[in-house]
Amino acid sequence: PALEGPVRRAATLCKADLVSGMIREFTELQGVMGRYYATMSGEKPEVAAAIEEHYLPRYAGDALPKSKGGALVGIADRMDSIAGCFGVGMIPTGSEDPYALRRAALGLILILEGQGLSISLSALTKQALELLKDRISRPRADALSDIQGFLRVRSEGVMIDRGIPADVTAAVLQAGFDDIPRAFRRAHALAKAKQDPGFASVMVAFKRVANILPPDFAARVEESRLREEAEKSLYRDVKALQEEVARLTESGEYESALKRIATLRPVVDRFFTDVLVMAKDASIRENR
């Protein structure tokens, strides 16, 4: 709430310096002169700072906004540009990106991650499209889907640039990237967990499971159908871990959650060694 007034004021004034003769002559000073003009006009320091910072980052490797106000105005400015262009079909193709939307999306992702701002990307996109509803020419659902795909590709690029393996990046983004800081924390945690032999074996077991399940499989385990001690043991251990893992995940302690999951390795291995999953009895096979 304390930020709302300064942020709204900065958003109102953030492009005002573009009509000045100084910016027409020296375009690289946009935002910089805005801060000077705002300060000389008696605006609050946080408003003046946000006016300059909302342009950051201007290029790869540039600094990010230091203030929350600058970050929020920068996010809104970039999303407005992306939503407006996608809403009328001006989507970057190949090397063509006349409105620098890729740079805008990259800046958006970097600001969210760098400032640790857990802002819903889908909600942000929907709000931007709603504000532009009288000006866009495409169905909003189509524009929303295209923007989400566009932001996913930019997120993928940033993660890989940070040294996160491509398979980990793909897995994390497939599971969701609406909350960018959380997605990046999940990616780092999974990349680290992947190096642990115990967790690696759980991943192998999961692949074995995925390979034998039909795509539309949705059955639930019925404890009364469990026959072998190995399957009963696995079921008990998974049930015991579920609440703890859910709590750790909810609090963002992804590395700890993955470590706890990795403790299932012995019972998972025992299950595949001692239990015939593909039993003749259909109900037992489905349960397993």
Side-chain angles (χ1 to χ4, degrees):
L3 270 177
E4 185 174 347
V7 167
R8 286 183 178 275
R9 185 63 177 162
T12 300
L13 298 174
C14 67
K15 305 298 183 185
D17 65 342
L18 298 184
V19 299
S20 68
M22 178 68 79
I23 301 305
R24 284 198 293 270
E25 185 70 23
F26 304 102
T27 56
E28 68 275 12
L29 292 179
Q30 61 182 10
V32 176
M33 292 310 303
R35 173 170 59 83
Y36 281 113
Y37 293 146
T39 300
M40 294 173 69
S41 298
E43 298 292 340
K44 294 179 180 179
E46 56 266 39
V47 173
I51 290 172
E52 179 178 17
E53 291 180 356
H54 91 281
Y55 282 108
L56 302 176
R58 294 158 295 185
Y59 49 82
D62 193 18
L64 298 177
K66 293 181 180 179
S67 69
K68 276 282 172 48
L72 293 172
V73 176
I75 289 168
D77 180 38
R78 288 167 173 82
M79 182 54 78
D80 178 68
S81 297
I82 293 168
C85 288
F86 273 74
V88 295
M90 294 181 178
I91 302 173
T93 56
S95 61
E96 298 296 319
D97 186 11
Y99 298 100
L101 298 184
R102 292 190 182 99
R103 186 174 66 191
L106 179 61
L108 177 65
I109 299 300
L110 290 173
I111 292 170
L112 287 169
E113 196 272 332
Q115 281 273 3
L117 295 171
S118 292
I119 298 173
S120 167
L121 274 182
S122 58
L124 187 65
T125 307
K126 288 175 183 177
Q127 178 66 11
L129 290 169
E130 171 65 22
L131 292 171
L132 295 167
K133 63 183 178 181
D134 296 329
R135 300 186 181 189
I136 61 177
S137 55
R138 301 178 66 212
R140 269 189 276 177
D142 292 348
L144 175 63
S145 177
D146 287 343
I147 291 170
Q148 292 297 293
F150 185 66
L151 294 175
R152 174 175 174 161
V153 172
R154 303 280 81 72
S155 300
E156 182 178 17
V158 175
M159 285 184 178
I160 291 175
D161 284 346
R162 298 274 176 87
I164 297 170
D167 59 340
V168 171
T169 296
V172 167
L173 295 179
Q174 181 64 31
F177 62 101
D178 199 50
D179 185 324
I180 288 294
R182 276 182 172 264
F184 274 75
R185 289 199 296 273
R186 284 191 283 120
H188 286 296
L190 183 56
K192 187 173 182 179
K194 187 183 174 186
Q195 306 304 314
D196 181 86
F199 189 78
S201 69
V202 175
M203 290 170 61
V204 171
F206 175 79
K207 289 179 182 178
R208 292 177 66 181
V209 172
N211 286 338
I212 63 175
L213 288 181
D216 58 348
F217 189 81
R220 293 182 175 276
V221 176
E222 292 187 26
E223 192 170 4
S224 61
R225 290 183 181 178
L226 299 175
R227 297 285 184 270
E228 306 291 339
E229 178 54 34
E231 60 183 334
K232 293 178 181 178
S233 178
L234 176 58
Y235 181 72
R236 286 195 301 268
D237 286 4
V238 168
K239 290 284 288 182
L241 270 183
Q242 278 182 325
E243 185 176 334
E244 182 184 2
V245 169
R247 176 180 56 78
L248 290 169
T249 301
E250 181 61 29
S251 63
E253 298 175 67
Y254 301 113
E255 190 175 337
S256 296
L258 292 170
K259 285 180 178 178
R260 295 296 293 135
I261 292 171
T263 64
L264 290 172
R265 175 189 176 182
V267 287
V268 169
D269 288 345
R270 183 184 172 198
F271 173 81
F272 280 113
T273 300
D274 295 357
V275 178
L276 177 63
V277 176
M278 305 305 286
K280 291 182 179 180
D281 186 315
S283 65
I284 293 177
R285 181 173 66 249
E286 185 180 75
N287 207 47
R288 287 174 176 172

